[in-house]
Amino acid sequence: MFTILIIEDDNALRSGLEFDLAAEGYNVVTAENGRTALERLDSADIALMDVNLPDTEGFELCREIKNKKNIPVIFLTCRDLEADELNGFNSGADDYITKPFSLPVLRKRISAVLKRNEVLGDVYSDGFLTVDFTKLTASAGGKNISFTPTEYKLLNIFIKSKGSVLTRQILLEKLWDGKGNFVDEHTLTVNINRIRGKIEDDDHKYIKTVYGIGYVWNGENQ
């Protein structure tokens, strides 16, 4: 069950959103300002926030959230100028919704963002490779590895689909960043090659290329 952090200083709107999203089955945590939001960030899987907050501007808070815990962020605001929307996406937001809004549409947008981001969790370990998708740490052969957010996302997709062929198109769709930007074919190839370079050696092979189709995660020693 996902936890949504609602950051909104309007008491009536905050309470209404909390009631509606809780009824949809989400855990809901609320904050009326940026300071409280950062204090309650640890439990959140996604943040739904206004731009106009009493102690900070939402764009700056979004950057702080992304730096502290890289979770999806959706702006829900009356700031409807194109410049504001661009500022929202430039600050790291995954979606930007202007008021007034439809609750059914908002619920669909939240669900879509969560699906696109495939909120990471759990630990993969096979004795050689260990990846903690919650703490975003990894090691291979006892040596620590550093992955980029895109590489972690790719690893998560591969591991969850072990044994299944993932076409390049499927991978590209799953790596959509929610800002209208798509990872291109060249970038996908570069990221996969970087992952291979970090986790594979002569005795440990994980990602198999299915020529003309895509890739498959076979696991260690395959």
Side-chain angles (χ1 to χ4, degrees), residues 131-152:
V131 185
D132 188 323
F133 290 106
T134 300
K135 297 179 180 179
L136 298 184
T137 59
S139 65
K143 296 180 180 180
N144 292 336
I145 306 171
S146 177
F147 289 116
T148 66
T150 298
E151 289 168 353
Y152 271 116

Side-chain angles (χ1 to χ4, degrees), residues 71-211:
I71 61 172
V73 173
I74 298 176
F75 278 112
L76 186 62
T77 178
C78 62
R79 302 262 293 260
D80 59 358
L81 296 178
E82 180 179 307
D84 291 321
E85 186 170 355
L86 289 173
N87 280 336
F89 286 125
N90 288 335
S91 68
D94 296 80
D95 205 347
Y96 193 100
I97 303 170
T98 56
K99 303 173 182 175
F101 58 92
S102 158
L103 280 172
V105 171
L106 173 62
R107 292 193 292 267
K108 289 292 186 182
R109 299 279 280 269
I110 290 172
S111 177
V113 166
L114 285 169
K115 184 177 181 181
R116 283 202 306 264
N117 280 268
E118 295 188 84
V119 175
L120 303 177
D122 301 328
V123 176
Y124 170 87
S125 182
D126 58 30
F128 176 78
L129 174 66
T130 299
V131 185
D132 188 323
F133 290 106
T134 300
K135 297 179 180 179
L136 298 184
T137 59
S139 65
K143 296 180 180 180
N144 292 336
I145 306 171
S146 177
F147 289 116
T148 66
T150 298
E151 289 168 353
Y152 271 116
K153 186 178 289 188
L154 260 175
L155 276 169
N156 189 260
I157 294 167
F158 275 127
I159 290 169
K160 287 183 175 178
S161 306
K162 180 180 178 180
S164 299
V165 176
L166 297 171
T167 66
R168 296 180 67 83
Q169 185 59 41
I170 288 174
L171 291 171
L172 289 168
E173 289 174 358
K174 288 179 177 290
L175 289 173
W176 184 56
D177 67 5
K179 304 173 190 176
N181 301 315
F182 289 80
V183 173
D184 60 28
E185 293 245 2
H186 173 70
T187 303
L188 175 63
T189 300
V190 169
N191 277 276
I192 290 175
N193 287 338
R194 284 177 178 169
I195 291 172
R196 282 171 161 161
K198 293 175 182 180
I199 67 174
E200 295 187 346
D201 58 25
D202 291 341
D203 299 317
H204 303 88
K205 302 295 182 183
Y206 290 91
I207 302 171
K208 177 182 178 182
T209 299
V210 182
Y211 291 99

